[in-house]
Amino acid sequence: MRAIRIMDSGLFTTIQDLGRYGYQRYGVSVSGAMDEFSVKIANKLVGNSHNEAVLETTLKGVNIEFLSDCVFAITGGECDITLNGNIIDTWRSYRAKSGDIIKMGICKEGMRNYLAFSGGIDVPTVMNSRSTDIRAGIGGINGKKIMTHDILHLSNHNSSRIPLKKFNEKYRQTYQNKIEIRVVLGQQADYFT
């Protein structure tokens, strides 16, 4: 069985896909990744369908040891990333061998990163999704965030035939520190200074 080991789980890392739709009337939230575009591209870069489960990191990335060969990609915000001590880029795929180590830093631009692995993360589907919903305690690994020393199994997949790809920079999203918010004044506008 293919797998990865979490050496450092970062600040807040969960397993996500594009969400759990059709259950809101029962009180179950959609969950899913915060940045669907980045998830879809990460999965495309490693030869997966667009809705395979990925790791979603928040502010600080993870450190991972590959326990088997794999093709992986990291999308989303910009942070320092190394593979076996060598700097690598986001928005492209790489081939890792058993024993290789990824180390991710803190986001300099954006807030979240998405790590896709060829074949996807092998966790049970709950209501048509693998997304972690912390409040409901479902999805991912028993509805919990990823912890240091967790072993994540990957779906069996022959990664040796997957071509390595790079996403065209002109189509990449940009993440800004300043956001402009427009306000429409309502009837209680005089309540605010």
Side-chain angles (χ1 to χ4, degrees), residues 74-116:
I74 302 172
T75 59
E78 288 301 316
C79 68
D80 293 328
I81 307 167
T82 62
L83 174 62
N84 299 326
N86 300 312
I87 296 171
I88 62 171
D89 295 321
T90 54
W91 300 91
R92 65 181 307 165
S93 56
Y94 293 90
R95 203 172 301 281
K97 296 188 182 302
S98 181
D100 286 355
I101 294 174
I102 296 175
K103 291 187 177 180
M104 297 177 66
I106 296 170
C107 284
K108 301 173 189 175
E109 186 181 299
M111 188 171 174
R112 291 185 172 79
N113 288 104
Y114 298 89
L115 288 81

Side-chain angles (χ1 to χ4, degrees), residues 1 24 42 52 76 99 117 120 152 185 187:
M1 170 109 345
Q24 285 178 291
E52 282 297 330
F117 306 95
L152 303 181
L185 296 178
Q187 292 179 338

Side-chain angles (χ1 to χ4, degrees), residues 12-171:
F12 187 78
T13 303
T14 58
I15 295 172
Q16 299 294 341
D17 58 21
L18 297 180
R20 185 172 284 109
Y21 290 91
Y23 299 94
Q24 285 178 291
R25 66 180 174 256
Y26 305 114
V28 179
S29 69
V30 172
S31 301
M34 295 294 287
D35 181 351
E36 290 185 5
F37 178 78
S38 291
V39 171
K40 289 176 182 178
I41 299 304
N43 273 319
K44 186 162 184 65
L45 289 170
V46 299
N48 292 344
S49 70
H50 70 278
N51 195 32
E52 282 297 330
V54 300
L55 287 181
E56 178 183 72
T57 67
T58 303
L59 291 176
K60 182 186 180 306
V62 293
N63 294 348
I64 294 173
E65 177 186 9
F66 287 90
L67 302 179
S68 52
D69 294 359
C70 182
V71 172
F72 73 94
I74 302 172
T75 59
E78 288 301 316
C79 68
D80 293 328
I81 307 167
T82 62
L83 174 62
N84 299 326
N86 300 312
I87 296 171
I88 62 171
D89 295 321
T90 54
W91 300 91
R92 65 181 307 165
S93 56
Y94 293 90
R95 203 172 301 281
K97 296 188 182 302
S98 181
D100 286 355
I101 294 174
I102 296 175
K103 291 187 177 180
M104 297 177 66
I106 296 170
C107 284
K108 301 173 189 175
E109 186 181 299
M111 188 171 174
R112 291 185 172 79
N113 288 104
Y114 298 89
L115 288 81
F117 306 95
S118 54
I121 300 171
D122 188 15
V123 292
T125 300
V126 178
M127 296 179 212
N128 302 319
S129 175
R130 291 185 164 99
S131 287
T132 304
D133 183 334
I134 299 287
R135 285 188 178 166
I138 60 174
I141 299 176
N142 301 317
K144 297 179 181 171
K145 71 178 187 171
I146 300 299
M147 302 297 287
T148 299
H149 305 300
D150 279 351
I151 304 286
L152 303 181
H153 295 284
L154 307 176
S155 297
N156 284 326
H157 196 268
N158 184 356
S159 60
S160 63
R161 295 182 180 209
I162 297 171
L164 299 182
K165 300 174 186 174
K166 181 178 179 182
F167 189 66
N168 191 326
E169 285 196 32
K170 73 179 183 178
Y171 299 114

